[in-house]
Amino acid sequence: MQDGCAFQSYDVVIIGRGPVGATLANLLGLCGVRTLVLEREARAYHLPRAVHFDDECMRVFQAIGLAEAILPHVIVSPGMLFLDADGRMLLDWSRPLTLTPLGWNLSYRFHQPDLEEVLIGGLQRWPHVATRNRCDVFALDQDETGVRVRYEDLSNGQLTEVRARYVIGCDGARSLVRRFIGSGMDDLGFHERWLVVDVLLKRNRDDLGDYSLQHCDPRRPATYVRGTGTRRRWEITVLPDEDTQGVAQPTKVWELLSRWITPEDAELERAAVYTFHSTIAQQWRDRRLILAGDSAHQTPPFLGQGMCAGIRDAANLAWKLSAILSGHADARLLDTYQSERQPHVREFVELAIRLGGLINTKAVEAGLAAGQARENAPVKLEVKKPLLGPGLALSDLPMAGHLAPQFTLHDGRRSDDAIGYAYVLLTESAGAIPRPLQRAFGENGVSMLTGDAAAGVGTWLRDKGLRAALVRPDRYVVGAASNDGELDRLAAAVILPIHVPSRPEHIPEDIP
């Protein structure tokens, strides 16, 4: 995997090998794209950070063939409850424990080092994907054909450079790539210090529960999160007059935790003060430089959508880059990346801010208004995934910009595994599509999934009064059709992809 040759050329260089960078590298590996991942650190960070991802993220992990490897490292979350200062429930955000239409559970808890180990291990499957650790990138120079990437090898001080056709900055909130793009940040107004405390239980504390709890207490708002195994997390507001370093000292930490646990119950793994931000980059791309993940957007954690947003970025980018690099699409296809993703992520950030106002009791009514009021019961919150912003979806056709369901085939497989990372036309039967259009879709690399292979396809289409729906490689619907004219438009909307399997034929046994 490690490739020490200087002045080598790649299709894509990814800066940053966290969950977003590693997921993007796996997706590009799946597409056959020559990729180099440059990471400043020697190894993955060993302490907890992100703790939640959703069904859409697991579906992306399925696409790269790693969902089954990740499953042993996660637990299904029953959801989150918002409690007032007296412990009464204000808002109920329970999650169903059944599978969603995407084929996975709605909410998973995980330990980030475990996830990164699987994602990084998965890169070993791709001979055309290389990784280099301890590489500190300091310069990015664009020209008409690519980007000159210069970096220091921190292990020996050697200055090295490579060429890339595109550079993706998955390099976090202080992104170097964003600085070279010259993008400002839109500030959505949420900036608060919170003490994040991770503990390992030393004895059983079932009474803490499996639900995440938001303690909406004006004296000291706090969050409890059930992690995997013996891991538990508390996030506690730091008051304006408190010193950042002082509040993270063990004596103060145990004082703040005393209403829930004591040193006899658990040992401290980490206590640190973070400032939760709400910002979105104004410009996600400058020609061959592109942002993804925290380099493009930061959100308060109250929805658990920070890492999820970055994984969605990776899924949106990978197939588009593959189509461009293989010569099947113009570089202008990348103009749809920000236009589709930015409104989507903004909606999640704005909802997280509203819930933050409920938690810190500064905007209780606005926070509760995000849910549905019920008589003699707490407000019920159900978060619907936003639609894609304007881009490739044919917005005047039904289902455009929605996520497509995943179906169970008659042989028991999930439909994404049979389709691969490619376009698919969902239709009740082949006979519902005129033969000339069948040929047109087939010549453009579009497979067809019919009700003959998965009964749920026909049911889904009939419920919506449709003959067919065209789904992109990232599982978003381009549009649906009820007549031949709309089918013609779908056929014309295909960006020719290279059909790739959902996973490599051989997966080494030593992948975690």
Side-chain angles (χ1 to χ4, degrees), residues 125-261:
R125 301 169 298 171
W126 317 113
H128 45 280
V129 176
T131 63
R132 298 180 191 172
N133 298 332
R134 302 211 66 200
C135 293
D136 187 15
V137 178
F138 60 84
L140 301 167
D141 305 306
Q142 296 195 69
D143 56 33
E144 292 79 8
T145 61
V147 184
R148 179 188 182 200
V149 182
R150 290 182 283 167
Y151 63 90
E152 177 186 357
D153 184 335
L154 298 177
S155 66
N156 56 25
Q158 180 179 352
L159 301 183
T160 306
E161 67 180 61
V162 296
R163 290 279 300 177
R165 291 177 66 183
Y166 290 94
V167 172
I168 317 299
C170 301
D171 49 345
R174 299 183 180 90
S175 171
L176 174 81
V177 179
R178 191 177 66 238
R179 293 203 296 273
F180 273 89
I181 288 175
S183 174
M185 302 291 285
D186 285 335
D187 186 346
L188 278 66
F190 190 99
H191 304 279
E192 292 185 2
R193 291 184 304 158
W194 285 64
L195 173 69
V196 178
V197 182
D198 288 291
V199 307
L200 298 171
L201 294 179
K202 296 190 291 188
R203 61 188 185 190
N204 191 18
R205 286 295 308 273
D206 286 343
D207 57 301
L208 291 172
D210 294 333
Y211 277 87
S212 295
L213 301 176
Q214 297 286 4
H215 297 278
C216 309
D217 187 339
R219 295 166 296 182
R220 178 85 74 169
T223 302
Y224 160 74
V225 179
R226 158 85 156 92
T228 57
T230 63
R231 298 183 182 280
R232 303 294 184 270
R233 169 176 289 184
W234 279 267
E235 297 171 356
I236 303 170
T237 296
V238 177
L239 302 179
D241 61 345
E242 289 179 321
D243 175 67
T244 294
Q245 291 185 334
V247 79
Q249 296 304 308
T251 300
K252 181 63 175 179
V253 171
W254 283 116
E255 176 188 329
L256 294 172
L257 292 177
S258 61
R259 64 182 285 194
W260 300 288
I261 57 170

Side-chain angles (χ1 to χ4, degrees), residues 121 172 378 408:
T408 301

Side-chain angles (χ1 to χ4, degrees), residues 464-479:
K464 300 181 182 305
L466 301 171
R467 287 171 58 186
L470 180 64
V471 180
R472 308 177 342 176
D474 58 1
R475 318 308 183 194
Y476 280 87
V477 178
V478 176

Side-chain angles (χ1 to χ4, degrees), residues 32-340:
V33 174
R34 293 178 303 119
T35 303
L36 172 65
V37 184
L38 297 176
E39 168 57 44
R40 191 181 191 281
E41 304 302 325
R43 58 188 62 87
Y45 189 62
H46 67 287
L47 292 175
R49 284 178 290 172
V51 294
H52 168 268
F53 64 79
D54 62 15
D55 52 346
E56 186 177 355
C57 288
M58 187 61 101
R59 197 176 183 184
V60 175
F61 299 147
Q62 177 192 353
I64 58 177
L66 295 178
E68 298 301 324
I70 289 169
L71 274 175
H73 301 286
V74 303
I75 59 173
V76 176
S77 170
M80 180 180 292
L81 308 177
F82 293 69
L83 310 176
D84 68 12
D86 297 319
R88 292 186 297 264
M89 194 188 310
L90 293 170
L91 187 147
D92 178 5
W93 190 18
S94 297
R95 320 288 174 83
L97 299 182
T98 54
L99 300 183
T100 75
L102 303 192
W104 297 97
N105 288 101
L106 189 55
S107 180
Y108 293 94
R109 298 289 180 194
F110 73 104
H111 180 50
Q112 185 167 328
D114 293 340
L115 176 66
E116 290 192 24
E117 184 179 4
V118 175
L119 294 175
I120 294 168
L123 296 176
Q124 298 173 16
R125 301 169 298 171
W126 317 113
H128 45 280
V129 176
T131 63
R132 298 180 191 172
N133 298 332
R134 302 211 66 200
C135 293
D136 187 15
V137 178
F138 60 84
L140 301 167
D141 305 306
Q142 296 195 69
D143 56 33
E144 292 79 8
T145 61
V147 184
R148 179 188 182 200
V149 182
R150 290 182 283 167
Y151 63 90
E152 177 186 357
D153 184 335
L154 298 177
S155 66
N156 56 25
Q158 180 179 352
L159 301 183
T160 306
E161 67 180 61
V162 296
R163 290 279 300 177
R165 291 177 66 183
Y166 290 94
V167 172
I168 317 299
C170 301
D171 49 345
R174 299 183 180 90
S175 171
L176 174 81
V177 179
R178 191 177 66 238
R179 293 203 296 273
F180 273 89
I181 288 175
S183 174
M185 302 291 285
D186 285 335
D187 186 346
L188 278 66
F190 190 99
H191 304 279
E192 292 185 2
R193 291 184 304 158
W194 285 64
L195 173 69
V196 178
V197 182
D198 288 291
V199 307
L200 298 171
L201 294 179
K202 296 190 291 188
R203 61 188 185 190
N204 191 18
R205 286 295 308 273
D206 286 343
D207 57 301
L208 291 172
D210 294 333
Y211 277 87
S212 295
L213 301 176
Q214 297 286 4
H215 297 278
C216 309
D217 187 339
R219 295 166 296 182
R220 178 85 74 169
T223 302
Y224 160 74
V225 179
R226 158 85 156 92
T228 57
T230 63
R231 298 183 182 280
R232 303 294 184 270
R233 169 176 289 184
W234 279 267
E235 297 171 356
I236 303 170
T237 296
V238 177
L239 302 179
D241 61 345
E242 289 179 321
D243 175 67
T244 294
Q245 291 185 334
V247 79
Q249 296 304 308
T251 300
K252 181 63 175 179
V253 171
W254 283 116
E255 176 188 329
L256 294 172
L257 292 177
S258 61
R259 64 182 285 194
W260 300 288
I261 57 170
T262 69
E264 286 69 41
D265 295 308
E267 61 179 281
L268 292 179
E269 185 177 29
R270 185 265 304 267
V273 173
Y274 291 86
T275 301
F276 297 157
H277 293 291
S278 58
T279 57
I280 300 177
Q282 295 166 352
Q283 183 180 350
W284 294 24
R285 172 177 167 247
D286 174 25
R287 293 167 291 165
R288 296 177 180 273
L289 303 180
I290 306 170
L291 304 177
D294 284 354
S295 65
H297 41 74
Q298 294 135 56
T299 179
F302 310 123
L303 275 177
Q305 285 293 322
M307 188 191 81
C308 295
I311 299 298
R312 292 186 184 94
D313 293 344
N316 189 291
L317 265 179
W319 69 274
K320 294 176 180 178
L321 284 167
S322 176
I324 293 166
L325 292 165
S326 62
H328 292 123
D330 187 272
R332 287 174 294 181
L333 176 61
L334 289 175
D335 293 340
T336 66
Y337 169 56
Q338 180 175 348
S339 68
E340 290 181 345

